[in-house]
Amino acid sequence: MTNSSSSARTVAGAAVSLGLSLVGFSLPVASAIAHAANIVDCIIWSVIALGVQLVVFYVARISVPDLPKRIAAGELAPAIWLGLASLAGGVLSAASMTL
């Protein structure tokens, strides 16, 4: 029973992190779709949004050592930290596209 409980906790942490990161990425992409002049403009802003998410991931790793390993080990707090950091980066990125 312990093995399945540990597995569920691992999946939950990864799901939280991935879900919030996807929301953090989709917000600026939605903003790009809404405000882009053409498809090329939309693609450029989407690539910038992806770059912001990568930067957020590496910045989040500075404050939490072994972040991916800790999420894979089932720790929920680092997963929530990464997900919320990604969400914050996405919100700021989306807001900057509307200026």
Side-chain angles (χ1 to χ4, degrees), residues 12-65:
V16 166
S17 177
L18 179 62
L20 288 171
S21 295
L22 286 174
V23 172
F25 176 67
S26 63
L27 285 173
V29 171
S31 179
I33 291 169
H35 297 99
N38 54 45
I39 189 71
V40 174
D41 193 28
C42 183
I43 291 170
I44 290 169
W45 279 111
S46 296
V47 169
I48 290 170
L50 180 61
V52 168
Q53 289 298 310
L54 291 172
V55 168
V56 166
F57 174 73
Y58 285 108
V59 169
R61 287 181 65 175
I62 292 170
S63 62
V64 180

Side-chain angles (χ1 to χ4, degrees), residues 3 9 14 16 29 37 40 45 50 52 56-57 67-69 71-72 75 77 79 81-82 85 93-94 99:
N3 192 12
R9 197 176 61 219
V16 166
V29 171
V40 174
W45 279 111
L50 180 61
V52 168
V56 166
F57 174 73
L67 181 63
K69 289 180 185 177
I71 293 172
E75 293 185 41
W81 161 246
L82 177 59
S93 180
L99 295 177

